[in-house]
Amino acid sequence: MKYYVMSLFPEMIEEGMNTSILGRARKEGKIDLKAVNIRDYTLDKHQKVDDYPYGGGAGMVLEAEPVYRCYEAICSEIGKVPRVVYLTPQGEVFSQNMAKEFAKEEEIVFLCGHYEGIDERVLEEIVTDYVSVGDYVLTGGELPAMVLMDAISRLVPGVLSNEDSAENESFSDGLLEYPQYTRPPEILGRKVPDVLLSGHHENIRKWRQEQSENRTRERRPDLYESWRKENLLFKP
Ligand code: ADE
């Protein structure tokens, strides 16, 4: 998987993607990342990349030209027309299912906006997917791009040390994960549930499934309803 990030703050991406699991995955070559500065592609002698909005109004708009030239440079490096994801609160809200879809790609280009937005004409020309990370407004697309890269990368084979662990957790079957415990068996006056100490694998499996279902019903009734409908399809 190779990511390209078009941004005015590529150092933010570099720093955010250099630690922990993703940092290791990059070092091991499981994922590759190139953060590209849109400003490097302006033809303006003062390196200006934004201008006032036609029609008036507050804020500045990122010009089409540097964004398009940056995109062209990436396309010629890749050698084909890539998927281009524009991070915007106006996009489809990101989900685990979308992460699974994106993980099938060989390259993904992320476009991060700032200011009041980007000239609509370059978006129409290059963007294939409009994605939001939730119904709130951030100062730029860098954090959302990192959210997507994190969720996608952990589905890339070899990125997680135990490959099973990506599947056996929240959302993989539409339910939230059951609670986890480690030693000691009692702390703060609270005990580990007996069943987990019993060594009875079938009982443990049933208990975990029950916990997942109850927890999802209580904490995320919306997810629970979708899960229930899906599961009814498989039952006579
Ligand atoms: N840019 C600003 N806010 C955003 C959001 N909620 N999702 C994606 N990109 C954004």
Side-chain angles (χ1 to χ4, degrees):
M1 171 65 78
K2 177 149 191 182
Y3 305 114
Y4 291 84
V5 184
M6 296 195 265
S7 164
L8 289 171
F9 303 97
E11 65 284 354
M12 187 171 169
I13 302 286
E14 281 295 340
E15 279 170 30
M17 297 287 293
N18 245 342
T19 39
S20 188
I21 294 174
L22 299 186
R24 187 187 66 203
R26 279 180 81 183
K27 280 191 198 91
E28 291 174 352
K30 306 269 168 33
I31 57 172
D32 197 353
L33 166 68
K34 194 163 174 184
V36 188
N37 196 338
I38 296 169
R39 200 175 294 281
D40 292 344
Y41 292 88
T42 178
L43 295 173
D44 183 88
K45 59 177 179 292
H46 305 295
Q47 298 248 287
K48 190 176 73 71
V49 290
D50 59 343
D51 210 335
Y52 297 101
Y54 275 122
M60 300 292 270
V61 177
L62 191 50
E63 295 162 14
E65 185 175 61
V67 175
Y68 192 70
R69 294 185 73 243
C70 181
Y71 165 78
E72 280 188 314
I74 293 170
C75 287
S76 50
E77 185 171 319
I78 296 175
K80 64 179 192 230
V81 177
R83 211 155 163 181
V84 178
V85 179
Y86 177 44
L87 290 313
T88 166
Q90 299 182 13
E92 183 180 351
V93 177
F94 189 56
S95 66
Q96 190 65 26
N97 281 338
M98 286 162 79
K100 281 185 194 161
E101 276 304 306
F102 284 127
K104 294 175 189 163
E105 301 290 332
E106 282 172 5
E107 300 93 8
I108 305 174
V109 178
F110 295 100
L111 173 58
C112 305
H114 266 271
Y115 312 106
E116 288 307 298
I118 303 182
D119 191 309
E120 190 70 18
R121 293 166 294 180
V122 73
L123 300 178
E124 287 169 0
E125 190 72 26
I126 72 173
V127 174
T128 58
D129 301 81
Y130 292 80
V131 179
S132 166
V133 292
D135 292 335
Y136 42 83
V137 182
L138 300 167
T139 55
E142 285 75 13
L143 287 172
M146 286 194 267
V147 166
L148 266 67
M149 287 189 279
D150 190 301
I152 295 164
S153 298
R154 54 193 295 293
L155 302 178
V156 171
V159 168
L160 298 185
S161 36
N162 173 5
E163 277 202 39
D164 293 345
S165 55
E167 270 308 301
N168 188 22
E169 64 189 12
S170 291
F171 294 126
S172 61
D173 63 352
L175 289 175
L176 301 181
E177 203 187 1
Y178 46 79
Q180 297 277 21
Y181 302 85
T182 185
R183 288 188 290 177
E186 181 174 347
I187 191 164
L188 305 170
R190 297 164 191 271
K191 291 194 163 101
V192 173
D194 284 337
V195 63
L196 297 180
L197 308 174
S198 69
H200 193 301
H201 298 299
E202 182 52 18
N203 286 353
I204 293 173
R205 194 196 58 75
K206 278 192 201 143
W207 182 85
R208 286 178 164 166
Q209 179 66 23
E210 233 173 68
Q211 291 288 317
S212 280
E213 290 178 25
N214 293 343
R215 186 162 267 214
T216 311
R217 188 171 356 86
E218 283 162 22
R219 296 186 184 184
R220 291 292 307 273
D222 55 327
L223 280 184
Y224 184 75
E225 270 314 298
S226 314
W227 173 82
R228 213 178 50 84
K229 285 192 189 120
E230 285 268 304
N231 273 263
L232 288 176
L233 294 177
F234 300 112
K235 286 176 190 154

